[in-house]
Amino acid sequence: MMYIQLVLNLSLLVSISIISGFIDAQMGRNSIVRQVMQGLLFAAAACVGILEPLQLWPGVIFDGRSIVISLAALFFGPLAGIIAVLPPLALRIWIGGPGLGMGILVILSAAATGLGFRKLYKIPDEIPGWRRMYLFGLIVHAEMVLFMFIALPASVRETTIRNMALPTILLYPFATLLAGKILNDQLMLRIQVDEINESEKLFREALEFLPVPVATMRSDGSIPFINYAFTETYGYTIHDIPDYATWLEKAYPDEEYRKNGMRIWEEDLRKAITNKAPTPTRIYLMRRKDGLVRQVSIRARPFGYRYLTVFLDMTDRQHLEKELRKKVIELAHTQEVTITSMAIIADFRDNETGGHIQRTKEFVRCILDGMGDQCPFNSDVCERIYRSAPLHDIGKVAIPDSILLKPGKLTEEEMALMKKHPEFGSQAIRKAQESIEENEFLNIAAEIAEFHHERWDGTGYPHGITGETIPLPARIMAIADVYDACISRRPYKEPIPHDEVVRIIARGAGTHFDPALVKIFLDRHDMFRNISCKYAD
């Protein structure tokens, strides 16, 4: 019966510790009000225990005050510990009896031990495990057994020790562990909640600091946050758009557009939640608070039960990009006209026609396309090679007419000068390049001009280099230039038939031309014939 009464008494104290957890969850971790409230709760629990004790003799009582007071001091600090001590201390003095001295010592030592272990265990910064909690309860109640020996009168000491020493050492530390576990869990939960709240605060501050418009939306449709940049850009405050439905009506007043746009948006959002990834970036026509309609790039990322959404106003950027594209097209057209004009000037001096310019360009494109995946250049570089092809013979403007237009065979001295035209062309292009920043187009044009008369076996000019040391664009131009020269009429020769030219180029594989490029030419020679017919002189 004695043990049952004691267990029921301790069970009451464990229940009260649960109530403590609810109080703790409602107040700040370092709040003075929290400490006072916890102190009063534990004081009340201790008083209940004293009023409903296990009584061995009149004035010799056992209850759970040692557990309650020690835990109040351990988990809630000095203020809560002092408040938890005073009412039960006064009540125990009022009850009196032979156990008064021991009762007073138990109350004071429980509070002192709780405060000491609070410092030792570094609570609340660290959470004590169950072993530490049991050790704490064991020491508190070892002190209680000690007080039985030193503070009880001789008339009741032996009987009290015989009946209560073992239960005190066995049951009380275990009850301390149970009640402490509940408080421990509450403390851990409180720390986690505080960390989440702090993280949320930092998250909001970071979003507020961002220079881009940002808003968050919960899964229930409420909008708890929009940053300063959002309000500055679109005029809406959190009071204007408290939820998703209000936002849709104000930002997208046209019902049909809103219906179609939100169908796409909500489908994107569902996929983003499933894939745990951001939605694709899409541009919507969104009305600001002042009524202006803007092109806004909207993208959202699910975060648990929230969605972080970024709203970038793309209206000015879209306009600038449109103007930029227009300028780029105009510049490319101007560049094309300039290059063609320069090439025509060179061809006029060499009795060639504009057809030669267009044909060689198309021959170069034909070979580049034929390289397929083996082509080391991306589409932009291929386009530059194609457009720079007309400048391959620009160096001929530096050759005297007496040599350039001579109908007969050139002398050795005249041929030596003629062979310098690739260098003259490269020098002219690089000289022009000095007046502007690094330009890949002109680099390619200079390479083609300088090296298109080199031969695979090293017998070409002006440098006599071999194989793949010859730049690839120049190797391509070598085939295009020879093919066009062969099929074209010159003052000193008649045009050569297409089939014969194909055989000439085939025989030149590995000597005059890059063998890999000759193979591409042979696969596509019918296209060369079609090009030559299309742009015939």
Side-chain angles (χ1 to χ4, degrees):
M1 185 66 181
M2 177 183 67
Y3 282 95
I4 294 174
Q5 284 181 306
L6 188 59
V7 169
L8 291 175
N9 192 285
L10 297 179
S11 298
L12 174 63
L13 302 179
V14 171
S15 301
I16 291 174
S17 68
I18 297 175
I19 300 174
S20 168
F22 287 108
I23 294 175
D24 197 50
Q26 304 302 315
M27 301 180 184
R29 191 166 56 162
N30 298 316
S31 167
I32 292 178
V33 176
R34 166 182 175 262
Q35 295 179 48
V36 171
M37 291 294 294
Q38 294 288 8
L40 291 174
L41 175 66
F42 278 80
C47 289
V48 169
I50 293 172
L51 293 173
E52 296 291 335
L54 171 64
Q55 183 170 285
L56 290 181
W57 306 94
V60 179
I61 59 176
F62 286 84
D63 50 71
R65 82 188 88 121
S66 56
I67 300 173
V68 175
I69 294 171
S70 64
L71 290 177
L74 179 69
F75 282 101
F76 305 111
L79 181 58
I82 292 170
I83 294 173
V85 162
L86 295 177
L89 182 63
L91 180 60
R92 186 64 188 88
I93 293 172
W94 178 75
I95 291 174
L100 177 60
M102 176 187 167
I104 292 173
L105 287 174
V106 168
I107 291 172
L108 296 177
S109 69
T113 304
L115 292 175
F117 272 83
R118 177 181 176 85
K119 185 173 182 180
L120 178 64
Y121 288 169
K122 300 179 181 178
I123 298 173
D125 298 323
E126 295 183 10
I127 307 298
W130 69 269
R131 290 187 181 88
R132 285 188 165 193
M133 284 304 306
Y134 184 78
L135 175 62
F136 169 69
L138 192 62
I139 290 175
V140 168
H141 295 98
E143 293 170 349
M144 184 173 170
V145 172
L146 176 63
F147 296 147
M148 293 180 193
F149 284 94
I150 66 175
L152 285 175
S155 58
V156 297
R157 183 186 307 142
E158 182 180 349
T159 303
T160 302
I161 291 173
R162 185 172 61 250
N163 287 298
M164 293 306 302
L166 186 60
T168 300
I169 290 298
L170 292 180
L171 294 181
Y172 277 72
F174 184 68
T176 304
L177 173 62
L178 290 179
K181 178 66 168 62
I182 296 171
L183 295 174
N184 220 359
D185 290 344
Q186 295 292 343
L187 177 61
M188 185 178 296
L189 178 61
R190 185 67 192 183
I191 290 174
Q192 291 173 346
V193 169
D194 287 348
E195 288 176 349
I196 291 171
N197 290 337
E198 181 64 21
S199 177
E200 177 77 13
K201 180 182 176 183
L202 293 174
F203 181 65
R204 282 173 169 264
E205 289 176 353
L207 294 182
E208 193 66 70
F209 179 73
L210 287 177
V212 296
V214 172
T216 60
M217 183 181 76
R218 295 194 181 103
S219 55
D220 64 1
S222 62
I223 299 176
F225 174 81
I226 59 175
N227 70 348
Y228 177 77
F230 187 99
T231 301
E232 278 290 292
T233 304
Y234 304 113
Y236 297 108
T237 67
I238 195 70
H239 303 293
D240 298 321
I241 47 172
D243 54 57
Y244 181 60
T246 306
W247 162 247
L248 293 182
E249 291 180 3
K250 291 188 175 182
Y252 312 99
D254 183 86
E255 184 176 355
E256 184 176 355
Y257 181 83
R258 180 172 67 242
K259 181 179 178 181
N260 293 332
M262 291 310 100
R263 177 178 52 80
I264 296 172
W265 166 253
E266 289 169 3
E267 178 62 25
D268 286 345
L269 207 56
R270 279 192 292 271
K271 290 180 179 178
I273 295 169
T274 301
N275 299 327
K276 297 180 180 180
T279 63
T281 300
R282 298 189 189 277
I283 294 180
Y284 296 89
L285 295 177
M286 193 178 97
R287 189 175 71 173
R288 299 194 322 188
K289 188 175 181 179
D290 61 9
L292 290 178
V293 176
R294 310 293 287 178
Q295 298 180 62
V296 181
S297 170
I298 303 179
R299 193 181 196 196
R301 174 66 188 258
F303 284 95
Y305 64 93
R306 294 175 303 177
Y307 311 105
L308 175 65
T309 310
V310 178
F311 300 79
L312 291 178
D313 189 339
M314 304 293 288
T315 309
D316 295 336
R317 179 175 173 178
Q318 293 285 98
H319 176 72
L320 289 174
E321 287 181 353
K322 181 178 179 181
E323 289 297 312
L324 180 60
R325 285 193 293 270
K326 181 179 177 182
K327 293 295 182 183
V328 168
I329 293 172
E330 290 177 355
L331 180 60
H333 180 69
T334 302
Q335 190 180 59
E336 186 80 15
V337 171
T338 303
I339 292 167
T340 303
S341 299
M342 292 171 63
I344 289 174
I345 291 172
D347 284 351
F348 278 166
R349 298 197 62 243
D350 195 23
N351 286 329
E352 293 185 356
T353 67
H356 169 71
I357 297 170
Q358 193 61 43
R359 287 193 300 270
T360 51
K361 282 175 62 177
E362 296 301 326
F363 295 154
V364 166
R365 187 194 291 278
C366 185
I367 293 176
L368 285 169
D369 290 345
M371 295 180 75
D373 294 339
Q374 301 302 313
C375 183
F377 306 121
N378 61 36
S379 58
D380 290 339
V381 176
C382 288
E383 183 65 21
R384 294 188 188 104
I385 295 171
Y386 165 76
R387 288 171 48 224
S388 63
L391 296 178
H392 67 282
D393 274 339
I394 191 67
K396 287 183 178 180
V397 298
I399 305 299
D401 288 348
S402 59
I403 297 175
L404 196 63
L405 303 178
K406 184 176 182 179
K409 185 177 180 180
L410 300 179
T411 66
E412 289 186 7
E413 293 79 8
E414 290 170 336
M415 180 56 73
L417 183 57
M418 175 63 86
K419 287 183 177 181
K420 288 184 177 293
H421 84 268
E423 292 180 278
F424 294 155
S426 176
Q427 290 169 8
I429 294 171
R430 297 194 187 282
K431 190 69 176 176
Q433 195 175 15
E434 291 177 2
S435 61
I436 59 176
E437 295 181 359
E438 183 71 13
N439 186 292
E440 187 176 4
F441 168 78
L442 292 179
N443 285 336
I444 294 171
E447 282 186 349
I448 292 175
E450 185 169 356
F451 299 106
H452 73 284
H453 281 296
E454 299 289 351
R455 298 167 65 102
W456 186 259
D457 61 5
T459 60
Y461 63 87
H463 304 295
I465 58 177
T466 62
E468 293 185 355
T469 56
I470 305 168
L472 180 56
R475 282 182 267 150
I476 295 172
M477 176 53 71
I479 295 177
D481 196 36
V482 168
Y483 178 85
D484 195 69
C486 289
I487 65 167
S488 300
R489 178 176 279 103
R490 294 289 185 268
Y492 50 84
K493 74 168 191 70
E494 291 298 314
I496 300 174
H498 169 79
D499 291 341
E500 178 61 26
V501 177
V502 171
R503 288 191 288 272
I504 290 171
I505 293 178
R507 288 195 298 270
T511 55
H512 191 160
F513 307 112
D514 180 340
L517 296 181
V518 171
K519 184 178 184 305
I520 295 172
F521 166 78
L522 295 177
D523 290 339
R524 303 170 76 87
H525 71 84
D526 287 338
M527 297 182 186
F528 272 62
R529 175 161 44 196
N530 294 338
I531 291 169
S532 64
C533 293
K534 181 178 180 179
Y535 298 103
D537 293 332

